[in-house]
Amino acid sequence: MNYLTPSLAEEILKAMGKKEVIEVNLNLYKDNKKEKVFLKEDKAIFPEGEVEKEILKKIAKDNCVYFIKEGRVYKAAIAKDGYYKLVPTIPPTIEINGIRMHRTKELNPYEDTLNKINSVGVRKGEKVLDTCMGLGYTAIEAYKRGGEVVTIEKNPNVLELAKINPYSEELFKGDIKVILGDAFDVVKKFSDEEFNVIIHDPPRFSLAGHLYSEEFYRELFRILKSGGRLFHYVGNPGKKYRGKDLQKGVMERLRKVGFTKIKRVKEALGVIAEKP
């Protein structure tokens, strides 16, 4: 597939009428490869197909990833049970009903992922559970560090966008186990002390309160090995304007089900804990 972003569409539009060919990256900068795009007055000819000038103008104004496949142009967005789209950050993130899955203001989605992974560390040979897959950056990074990775994704629309995203392709090569389902239910099927590391990065509390519950934490405690580590992304929703401290409540519930060495990880907007 060839991928188009608003900035790339704008670059191509500016070159039209001035150049006959332009070399650009068509893989969302996953690599440094550049490919030739041939320019006409009314269209651009990509390796995967032609795109009319009017379509390029539309893409240039739309904060979404587009892609060309088998000669046709598609928008990486799904309007089903809400609105889901692939946002052209590098690497991309998903926006669901206007809410982005990754932090993108202070850092990019990959740096966001590293903060979470680094907070617990993943060592070669450890079994890792990533409870909320999204685009799979956490699962992929854990696998690259030698982990045996299981990841869970509840939403089939998110799974479909992950299949489009070039940065997610390692998810579907067979070495990472992907489970479609609600983590709240899926974790009940795992054996006692099955995982060395759990990375829990749920949607915000208002959208998935059950994934912040004592009942769910008790299951995470059960499936974690003795000495195992948990990272729990929490964020700070409401803290700035309403004085709420959601992390404090999370820490209290984790302690109640048996976790120890619980502390905040400021740079990752979450907490870490261990099973004694």
Side-chain angles (χ1 to χ4, degrees), residues 158-196:
V158 171
L159 190 62
E160 287 305 308
L161 288 179
K163 290 177 180 178
I164 293 169
N165 178 30
Y167 288 84
S168 302
E169 62 184 4
E170 288 89 346
L171 282 172
F172 308 106
K173 292 182 176 179
D175 293 321
I176 297 172
K177 184 175 181 180
V178 178
I179 300 173
L180 184 63
D182 190 325
F184 186 85
D185 299 314
V186 174
V187 296
K188 297 175 182 178
K189 301 175 184 179
F190 295 129
S191 301
D192 293 356
E193 300 198 347
E194 185 169 340
F195 296 94
N196 301 97

Side-chain angles (χ1 to χ4, degrees), residues 208-263:
H210 61 305
L211 297 183
Y212 295 77
S213 67
E214 185 178 323
E215 180 182 355
F216 182 68
Y217 295 163
R218 191 173 292 110
E219 286 296 318
L220 296 185
F221 186 83
R222 178 185 65 81
I223 64 176
L224 194 61
K225 292 180 184 293
S226 179
R229 294 97 65 203
L230 166 72
F231 169 77
H232 184 337
Y233 176 80
V234 182
N236 284 313
K239 185 174 182 180
K240 183 176 180 181
Y241 299 107
R242 298 190 296 275
K244 291 185 177 180
D245 187 354
L246 184 58
Q247 289 184 8
K248 182 179 179 181
V250 165
M251 294 169 77
E252 289 174 352
R253 289 191 292 279
L254 290 175
R255 189 174 293 109
K256 190 172 182 180
V257 302
F259 283 100
T260 60
K261 299 182 181 178
I262 304 166
K263 61 181 180 180

Side-chain angles (χ1 to χ4, degrees), residues 29-244:
Y29 293 98
K30 191 179 181 207
D31 54 39
N32 295 319
K33 182 181 178 181
K34 289 190 174 183
E35 300 188 63
K36 291 182 178 180
V37 176
F38 297 90
L39 307 179
K40 303 295 183 181
E41 288 187 5
D42 61 342
K43 62 185 176 183
I45 303 170
F46 296 81
E48 287 284 341
E50 300 179 354
V51 181
E52 296 179 0
K53 187 175 184 179
E54 292 305 310
I55 299 297
L56 287 169
K57 288 181 179 179
K58 178 182 177 182
I59 294 172
K61 297 178 181 179
D62 190 4
N63 190 32
C64 186
V65 172
Y66 284 72
F67 61 98
I68 310 168
K69 183 179 180 181
E70 298 177 350
R72 297 187 64 183
V73 183
Y74 300 89
K75 183 175 182 178
I78 300 172
K80 182 181 180 182
D81 301 321
Y83 187 68
Y84 304 74
K85 72 175 184 178
L86 206 58
V87 178
T89 53
I90 301 298
T93 187
I94 287 181
E95 191 173 282
I96 304 175
N97 298 329
I99 300 171
R100 294 189 177 186
M101 287 177 46
H102 297 90
R103 297 162 63 192
T104 57
K105 289 184 178 181
E106 306 90 358
L107 66 179
N108 66 48
Y110 181 64
E111 292 167 334
D112 186 26
T113 295
L114 289 181
N115 283 341
K116 296 166 185 174
I117 287 277
N118 290 339
S119 68
V120 285
V122 174
R123 296 185 283 269
K124 187 175 181 179
E126 290 189 315
K127 191 166 185 180
V128 181
L129 174 63
D130 171 36
T131 62
C132 301
M133 184 188 86
L135 290 174
Y137 299 155
T138 298
I140 292 168
E141 184 62 25
Y143 172 73
K144 287 180 178 178
R145 297 188 184 198
E148 178 189 346
V149 182
V150 178
T151 184
I152 305 167
E153 176 51 52
K154 177 182 179 179
N155 197 307
N157 294 327
V158 171
L159 190 62
E160 287 305 308
L161 288 179
K163 290 177 180 178
I164 293 169
N165 178 30
Y167 288 84
S168 302
E169 62 184 4
E170 288 89 346
L171 282 172
F172 308 106
K173 292 182 176 179
D175 293 321
I176 297 172
K177 184 175 181 180
V178 178
I179 300 173
L180 184 63
D182 190 325
F184 186 85
D185 299 314
V186 174
V187 296
K188 297 175 182 178
K189 301 175 184 179
F190 295 129
S191 301
D192 293 356
E193 300 198 347
E194 185 169 340
F195 296 94
N196 301 97
V197 177
I198 297 175
I199 301 170
H200 183 42
D201 186 5
R204 61 176 59 185
F205 182 84
S206 61
L207 299 175
H210 61 305
L211 297 183
Y212 295 77
S213 67
E214 185 178 323
E215 180 182 355
F216 182 68
Y217 295 163
R218 191 173 292 110
E219 286 296 318
L220 296 185
F221 186 83
R222 178 185 65 81
I223 64 176
L224 194 61
K225 292 180 184 293
S226 179
R229 294 97 65 203
L230 166 72
F231 169 77
H232 184 337
Y233 176 80
V234 182
N236 284 313
K239 185 174 182 180
K240 183 176 180 181
Y241 299 107
R242 298 190 296 275
K244 291 185 177 180

